[in-house]
Amino acid sequence: MASSSASTSLRRLPFREALTALRSGGDNLILSSDVRSVTVRFVAKNSEAGPRQFIRTHLPKLSYANPNLRVNISRIPDPRFKSKDPKSPDHGAVWEGGIMPKPEMEIGFAGAPAQTLPLSHLDGDKILAQLIAVAGEERARAVGGPSNSPESESGSGSQSMAI
């Protein structure tokens, strides 16, 4: 069962507890060696909570378990936010076509085209499950054989195929 720290933001935990949570939660979060980047795009204010929940609770563990993974977070400015401060990132924002963009995650692969996953109506746990299903290490082993990660049981060093 998940510990209570899994649902709590790591920023709110004492340092030792946060480090323990990172170390214990990385077993099933290892992505395929073919995954180069993950980009999350969402409207920062007054939008769905799923992407924010994923970033707050699961992204630190994912980054810890995959140190070579580039993680980009793109917060789309919200023109509905009435800011009088000209230095605000939302000041003068305009959405294309006047329609609020849907949250999405783009997964960049080495030697394969990037894959975009829609995040509409998903909570943080479902977003993580979707990411693992598309880019997880277990999926890569099923598709392309053993990977060249240090956690793999065979030391042959063969590369896994792109998904």
Side-chain angles (χ1 to χ4, degrees):
M1 193 77 192
S3 67
S4 63
S5 64
S7 62
T8 305
S9 174
L10 290 173
R11 293 181 292 183
R12 296 178 186 206
L13 294 175
F15 179 74
R16 288 185 185 176
E17 289 181 31
L19 191 58
T20 302
L22 285 173
R23 288 182 178 160
S24 67
D27 297 342
N28 60 349
L29 298 179
I30 297 174
L31 299 180
S32 168
S33 60
D34 293 336
V35 177
R36 295 292 178 236
S37 66
V38 172
T39 302
V40 180
R41 288 185 201 91
F42 65 101
V43 176
K45 297 179 176 117
N46 301 324
S47 64
E48 299 178 34
R52 290 190 308 271
Q53 182 185 25
F54 171 77
I55 290 168
R56 184 176 52 251
T57 59
H58 298 297
L59 203 57
K61 293 178 185 180
L62 190 68
S63 296
Y64 184 83
N66 302 284
N68 295 329
L69 181 68
R70 273 188 306 134
V71 177
N72 303 314
I73 299 172
S74 176
R75 292 176 177 90
I76 302 168
D78 190 347
R80 299 173 299 175
F81 183 69
K82 305 294 183 198
S83 174
K84 295 181 182 181
D85 181 14
K87 294 180 183 179
S88 169
D90 294 322
H91 185 75
V94 177
W95 289 335
E96 189 174 316
I99 301 171
M100 183 168 78
K102 300 290 184 193
E104 64 184 13
M105 178 186 299
E106 184 177 301
I107 305 168
F109 295 97
Q115 187 169 1
T116 302
L117 305 174
L119 304 180
S120 294
H121 310 296
L122 297 177
D123 66 359
D125 295 333
K126 290 179 183 173
I127 292 172
L128 178 65
Q130 192 175 20
L131 174 64
I132 295 298
V134 171
E137 185 70 21
E138 294 299 320
R139 169 129 172 130
R141 284 187 196 149
V143 172
S147 70
N148 57 357
S149 68
E151 289 82 15
S152 70
E153 292 153 354
S154 67
S156 64
S158 63
Q159 292 183 347
S160 61
M161 296 176 58
I163 297 175

